[in-house]
Structure formats: C-alpha cells, structure tokens
Amino acid sequence: MPRMIQELKPFWKKIVMIALLVFFQSYAQLYLPRLMSDIVDIGIIQGDIPYIIRLGLIMLLVAAAGTLCSIIVSQLSAVVSTGFARDIRQLVFAHVQSFSLENFEEIGTASLITRTTNDVTQLQQVLIMLLRMMLSAPIMCVGGIVMAVSQNAELSMLLIIVIPLLTLAIIVISRKTLPLFKQLQNKLDKLNLVMRERLTGIRVIRAFNRTDYESRRFVSANSDLTENAIKVNIIMAVLMPLMMLIMNLATIAVVWFGAIQISAGKMQVGSLMAFIQYIMLILFSLLMFSMMFVMLPRAAASAARISEVLDKGNVPVAPVAHSSELSLGINKGHISFQDVTFSYPNAEKPVLKNISFDAYPGQTTAIIGSTGSGKSTLITLLMRFYDVNFGKIKIDGIDIRELPEEELRKHIGFIPQKALLFSGSIAENIRFGKQDSTMDEIMTAARIAQAEDFILKQADGYATSLAQGGVNLSGGQKQRISIARALIRKAKIYLFDDSFSALDYKTDSMLRSALKENVTDATILIVAQRVSTVLNADQIIVLDDGEIVGIGKHLDLLEGCKVYAEIVSSQLTREVPA
C-alpha cells in the first residue's frame, strides 16, 4: 500500500482542495441541527415568525453551500481516482515491458492481465471512497460528539456504549474478510487463466475432442470463485444489518431518555431533535468507516499484488562499458560465444554447456541438432530474453550485457519459430519492423521473403486486413510476412529460429537464395531442423544435449561428425549428400 500512496503525489493539490471542501461540507452538516434546535426552542415556542424566517434562510444558504461543496468533492474525487488508476496501469504496463521471461513465468500472463485491470479497478473504487468518506467521517464523528455533548452531556454517555460496539464489529469482520479477499483475487487469476487457455487453444481443444473437459475446468474454477465470493459476501452482509440495528437501538434509547429529561424540565424539544441528528451523524460516520473497511481488505490485497509486479525485474543495472567502446556500438555484427553455460530457472541441469563459436558478418551460420539440444536457447540468449549463467556473449567485442537492450535489439532482425502477426493490414505488419519504412521498402522486403506473390493475389494486396494472430493466413504465409518484417530493418544480424519449417522445399530454397543475393553484409544465424536448409551454410554448428559436437561445412561434418551424419541419413537419400 505505501508504494501506491507514493503514486498520489501528482494529485496533491487536488487532494488538499478536496480536504478543505470536505471540511466545509462537514461543518455545514454539523451546523444545521443547531439552527433547527434554535428554530424550535426559540422561534416556534415563542411564536417569533421573523426569527423562524431568518434562521430558515440561513439554513437554506448553509445547506446550499454544503451541497455545492459535495458536488465539487465528488467531481475532484472522480478526477483523482481515475487519473491514479490510469497512472498505475501505465506504470505496470511499462514495468512489465522490462520483464525477463523468467519474471513472466513466475507471475503468469493471466495474472498480469488481472492485476493490470481488476486489481487497479479495486484501488480506484477504494480511493474515491476514501477521498469522499475517509476525510469526512472523522470530522463528522468528532464534531458530532462535541456538538452532542454541548446539547446534553448526560445523554452523550450513550456514546460510550454504542461507539465501542460498532468499532468492535468492524474490526472482527475486517479480520475475517482480509484473507478471503486475497483468495478471491487468486481465484480470479485462475478463472482468467482457464478462460484464456480455452480461447487461445480452441483449435487444439476441438481437434482432440476435449471441449467437455475444458468446460468442466471452467465450471470448476468458476464455482470455486463463486463459493469464495459468497463466503465473503455472507460475512459482509452481517455488517450492515448489525450497524443499522445498533443505530436504531441507539436512537430509541436517546428518545426514551430524552423524553424523561424533557418531562423533568432538563431538556427542550429542539435540543432533543438536534441531539438525535447528531447521534445519527456520529453513527453514520462510523457506518462510512465500516463501508471503507469492507473495501480496504480487498484493496490491500490488490495493492500487494500490484506491488509484487512493480518489485519484480528490478535487477541491478549491468556495468556500462567504456565510452570509447560504446561509441563504436554494433557496426559489423561479429558474434562471439565464449564458454557460455546456461540453465533455465529451477532446472536440474544446464541446457547449454561451454558453448564457444564465432559468427561473422557476410556469412551464414546454421545451428542444427535434435529436439531439446538447445538450439533455440542460443537465439534466446543472444536476444537477451535470458542472461547467461557463465561465460560471455559478445557482439563486435562488447559483452551484450553491457549494452542497453534497446540498443542491442535495434541491430537484430528476429524471426521467431512461431510466426506472430498483429491485427491490421499486411503492410502494417511488415512495417512493424521499421516504423518509418516506405511502401517501396515494404515491397522489397516482401519480395525477398517470397511473400509478394500471395500478397498480390489478395483482394486488397498489401492493404489486406489480418485478423488477430493472422488466423486468416496459412502457416507458411504468416512465416513469410514475419521474415519480411525482420528483413525491412536492414539489421546487422538476422536470427532465424527454425523459421523455414512452415515453408515448402521450393520456397525454402528460393528464400535462401534471395537472402544470399540481397543480404550480403549481415551476420545470419539459422536454427533449423531440415538438413536441406543448412547444406550451403558457411558454417554449421551441431548441438547434442546442450554441447557442440561439431563445427564445419556440410561435407566435412558428414565425414567427421557422427551426430550430423545420423541426422543427414535420417532425412536425405544417399544421392543428395553425395
């Protein structure tokens, strides 16, 4: 919660204004019963009509001023709370962008969505209540007690019984609800996760006839959330009737003992009416406290969950290289892996062990190996989605950990294994790689990526709209647009993470030929499963169980690397390698 309070600093002027207006509003509410008491005890009893009219007009002015203050407070509170929620969402979103993949895996995508939306909304709702009630309630309570005592000190002794009873009820119920509210948010995460998996994996679910199973998962998660919510609301439902019961009993007691004092001549009717109103104001202020305590436990749970996100990823900044080194930056694209060892979090053994090789500009380096040998992990490390545990990865002699991530990645054209496209036109998806690219550059990149033919066959060509994820294109078409998106960057380094697997052999061959003709100065790393994709590479790296078991060209590895020979023999006929 303290972390969230710090984010209110930009709104301090409005909060001060709200506090002042709430003070005047509360003063007006406390002053009205006193005026009414004087009208009854002096004006009505003595039959002084001018006095009644004069105080009546004053009451109207005071009520109007209080109403105006209330309206302005409501407006300012809405501005502050919504602005605060906007800033928190932006802060969380911006912070999540710096997360490592490990951070994403720890919290989970579904939970991040819930924390950015539902949890922030909980804080917004509580803040608007705090601004409108938290400031008003103590003023009303203390002021009401003072005014009640000034009316009749003996009747005020009832407050010694009523206030502790209400306070005790609020404390007991809030203690019971706080852990339940924490569980409620976690169960909402789970429901969000199930729903997200159901929607994103709908094709697989239907292909394996698992619709009923997924429906049962959703019903289970939904029922779990519902049961928890019912349990919380049952407890909270006890509070309001209990508060009203105590308030009504207090009112009855005031009328009873007040009537006795009026009969004894110790109190006037107007004073009793004013005293009843002050008692109601005091109890209403405590009721406002109880309403806040209803919301505060859930808000506290939400604030803790948001703070958990903001506290993650705050790793110490890596030492910056000397200015003379950084001024050179990445200008060639020479990649050097030096004794790199890496393990995924909580893994039993390293996925890569003592990896050392160099990839040079103007050359193609291919990486091949069996499934799980660590091929894609090399690309992941080079992109700094994870950092190495031991060893170094250097580009043009600079350790990539000493480079800002933005500086590193702007020189890399990355084509992931699974093509991911965004809603929008084909041209917009290709331009995603370079925001200021011209139409000629887009068309050139598409031509090199062998995407031009199928794009021009579309009804709207490059203006063809894509659904979210590009589901209205085939796998090979999406992959070629993904490749064009990387090529348009004209980067120093291109990383193809098994990006040719969705292409037929002819398109694969044409694309590699086009790359060789048009991308002459960049360093190209290709992770591949097909031997045909790596045949003509300048350097082939063979991985087996996270270790390099061979480096060289195709024919050399065919003779000197048993693992590579087995891969070749499993894919190609003897005539092809010969």
Side-chain angles (χ1 to χ4, degrees):
M1 191 67 80
R3 178 73 177 268
M4 299 298 101
I5 294 174
Q6 292 178 3
E7 301 305 322
L8 287 171
K9 287 182 180 179
F11 305 99
W12 71 269
K13 291 182 180 179
K14 288 184 175 66
I15 293 174
V16 171
M17 180 66 71
I18 289 170
L20 291 173
L21 290 171
V22 165
F23 175 79
F24 288 121
Q25 175 194 347
S26 301
Y27 180 78
Q29 286 183 283
L30 291 169
Y31 190 48
L32 287 173
R34 181 65 177 267
L35 292 171
M36 185 193 67
S37 173
D38 290 341
I39 288 176
V40 173
D41 292 340
I42 299 174
I44 294 177
I45 292 178
Q46 296 180 5
D48 191 345
I49 302 300
Y51 183 82
I52 294 172
I53 293 173
R54 187 170 67 254
L55 260 65
L57 291 174
I58 293 174
M59 285 186 71
L60 286 174
L61 290 174
V62 172
T67 302
L68 180 63
C69 289
S70 178
I71 292 171
I72 299 174
V73 165
S74 297
Q75 184 180 18
L76 289 176
S77 298
V79 170
V80 171
S81 61
T82 53
F84 168 77
R86 175 202 62 207
D87 292 348
I88 291 295
R89 281 192 293 267
Q90 290 177 348
L91 180 65
V92 172
F93 181 80
H95 187 75
V96 167
Q97 302 308 302
S98 66
F99 269 17
S100 66
L101 294 183
E102 181 180 354
N103 296 140
F104 277 110
E105 291 165 1
E106 285 178 6
I107 298 180
T109 305
S111 182
L112 284 172
I113 293 172
T114 305
R115 296 179 198 218
T116 310
T117 53
N118 183 272
D119 285 315
V120 174
T121 301
Q122 296 299 326
L123 291 180
Q124 177 182 340
Q125 292 175 347
V126 169
L127 179 58
I128 197 168
M129 286 186 63
L130 289 175
L131 292 173
R132 295 172 63 179
M133 297 182 182
M134 190 69 173
L135 297 174
S136 176
I139 298 174
M140 297 285 288
C141 185
V142 175
I145 291 172
V146 172
M147 297 299 287
V149 171
S150 68
Q151 292 291 328
N152 192 300
E154 291 182 17
L155 277 181
S156 301
M157 299 299 290
L158 288 170
L159 297 175
I160 298 175
I161 301 172
V162 174
I163 292 176
L165 281 175
L166 288 173
T167 305
L168 180 64
I170 293 169
I171 292 173
V172 170
I173 290 176
S174 63
R175 282 186 175 179
K176 287 183 175 294
T177 54
L178 181 57
L180 291 175
F181 276 126
K182 290 180 180 179
Q183 293 176 22
L184 191 67
Q185 294 304 108
N186 291 331
K187 292 179 189 300
L188 188 60
D189 281 347
K190 185 177 179 181
L191 182 67
N192 193 4
L193 174 63
V194 173
M195 188 67 181
R196 185 173 178 272
E197 287 181 345
R198 174 70 184 270
L199 295 176
T200 57
I202 189 67
R203 295 186 180 186
V204 175
I205 292 169
R206 289 180 177 176
F208 286 90
N209 291 325
R210 300 290 281 177
T211 304
D212 291 341
Y213 170 75
E214 289 298 320
S215 296
R216 288 194 298 271
R217 280 185 69 205
F218 180 82
V219 169
S220 175
N222 193 26
S223 299
D224 201 17
L225 175 65
T226 303
E227 289 173 7
N228 186 276
I230 291 172
K231 191 182 298 183
V232 170
N233 286 313
I234 286 175
I235 296 174
M236 299 311 305
V238 173
L239 181 61
M240 193 61 65
L242 183 61
M243 296 284 291
M244 295 306 297
L245 176 63
I246 295 173
M247 289 174 65
N248 290 327
L249 289 175
T251 304
I252 292 171
V254 168
V255 173
W256 176 272
F257 291 107
I260 294 174
Q261 291 205 352
I262 290 174
S263 298
K266 295 180 180 180
M267 192 176 188
Q268 293 182 318
V269 174
S271 296
L272 177 60
M273 293 173 63
F275 190 88
I276 291 172
Q277 289 197 39
Y278 285 129
I279 288 292
M280 294 305 295
L281 287 174
I282 294 167
L283 297 180
F284 183 71
S285 67
L286 292 175
L287 183 62
M288 287 193 290
F289 269 120
S290 72
M291 291 175 64
M292 285 182 289
F293 276 102
V294 168
M295 299 293 292
L296 279 175
R298 191 168 187 178
S302 295
R305 285 157 53 84
I306 294 171
S307 296
E308 184 184 358
V309 174
L310 296 176
D311 291 338
K312 281 194 180 297
N314 294 332
V315 295
V317 179
V320 179
H322 297 298
S323 57
S324 59
E325 292 177 336
L326 286 180
S327 63
L328 295 175
I330 298 175
N331 51 28
K332 292 182 180 179
H334 172 209
I335 300 170
S336 179
F337 277 68
Q338 300 177 359
D339 295 320
V340 169
T341 297
F342 173 73
S343 298
Y344 284 107
N346 303 317
E348 295 181 358
K349 63 178 183 177
V351 67
L352 293 174
K353 292 168 279 189
N354 303 319
I355 301 296
S356 296
F357 69 88
D358 287 271
Y360 297 96
Q363 294 185 2
T364 298
T365 297
I367 304 169
I368 195 169
S370 59
T371 301
S373 59
K375 304 184 299 298
S376 294
T377 303
L378 287 174
I379 303 298
T380 299
L381 294 176
L382 194 52
M383 290 294 295
R384 278 205 72 194
F385 294 146
Y386 289 97
D387 280 330
V388 300
N389 301 131
F390 303 100
K392 294 180 180 179
I393 301 175
K394 290 186 175 183
I395 298 179
D396 291 341
I398 302 174
D399 192 323
I400 62 173
R401 290 172 294 185
E402 296 174 351
L403 289 169
E405 291 181 5
E406 185 176 353
E407 173 68 20
L408 168 68
R409 290 168 185 164
K410 77 178 184 180
H411 295 288
I412 298 176
F414 174 57
I415 304 92
Q417 185 172 2
K418 182 180 179 181
L420 176 63
L421 302 182
F422 302 93
S423 55
S425 68
I426 291 176
E428 288 171 346
N429 271 274
I430 297 176
R431 188 178 281 118
F432 194 86
K434 184 185 177 187
Q435 294 181 4
D436 58 348
S437 58
T438 64
M439 199 62 208
D440 286 339
E441 290 176 314
I442 291 173
M443 294 171 68
T444 300
R447 193 176 302 119
I448 297 172
Q450 308 303 304
E452 186 179 51
D453 289 345
F454 83 81
I455 292 175
L456 295 178
K457 290 178 181 178
Q458 302 289 326
D460 297 321
Y462 286 89
T464 301
S465 295
L466 300 182
Q468 184 178 5
V471 295
N472 51 337
L473 295 179
S474 69
Q477 290 172 338
K478 288 192 290 186
Q479 196 62 275
R480 280 177 278 174
I481 292 177
S482 179
I483 292 171
R485 180 175 61 196
L487 292 175
I488 203 170
R489 306 196 75 171
K490 298 179 181 177
K492 300 295 182 183
I493 299 169
Y494 289 100
L495 307 178
F496 294 85
D497 186 6
D498 202 12
S499 310
F500 300 91
S501 57
L503 306 180
D504 59 81
Y505 285 96
K506 180 181 178 181
T507 306
D508 182 347
S509 177
M510 292 171 63
L511 175 55
R512 285 186 286 108
S513 297
L515 286 174
K516 191 171 184 179
E517 293 175 8
N518 294 277
V519 184
T520 56
D521 298 329
T523 304
I524 299 177
L525 259 68
I526 298 176
V527 169
Q529 297 282 357
R530 293 178 185 168
V531 173
S532 59
T533 303
V534 306
L535 278 174
N536 299 314
D538 298 290
Q539 178 182 226
I540 301 172
I541 297 172
V542 185
L543 288 181
D544 184 44
D545 196 23
E547 296 182 283
I548 295 178
V549 293
I551 297 180
K553 291 195 174 185
H554 170 67
L555 293 177
D556 296 331
L557 290 172
L558 198 60
E559 295 179 1
C561 180
K562 181 180 178 182
V563 173
Y564 184 74
E566 290 175 352
I567 294 173
V568 171
S569 64
S570 67
Q571 294 187 28
L572 304 176
T573 63
R574 294 184 179 181
E575 288 77 13
V576 175

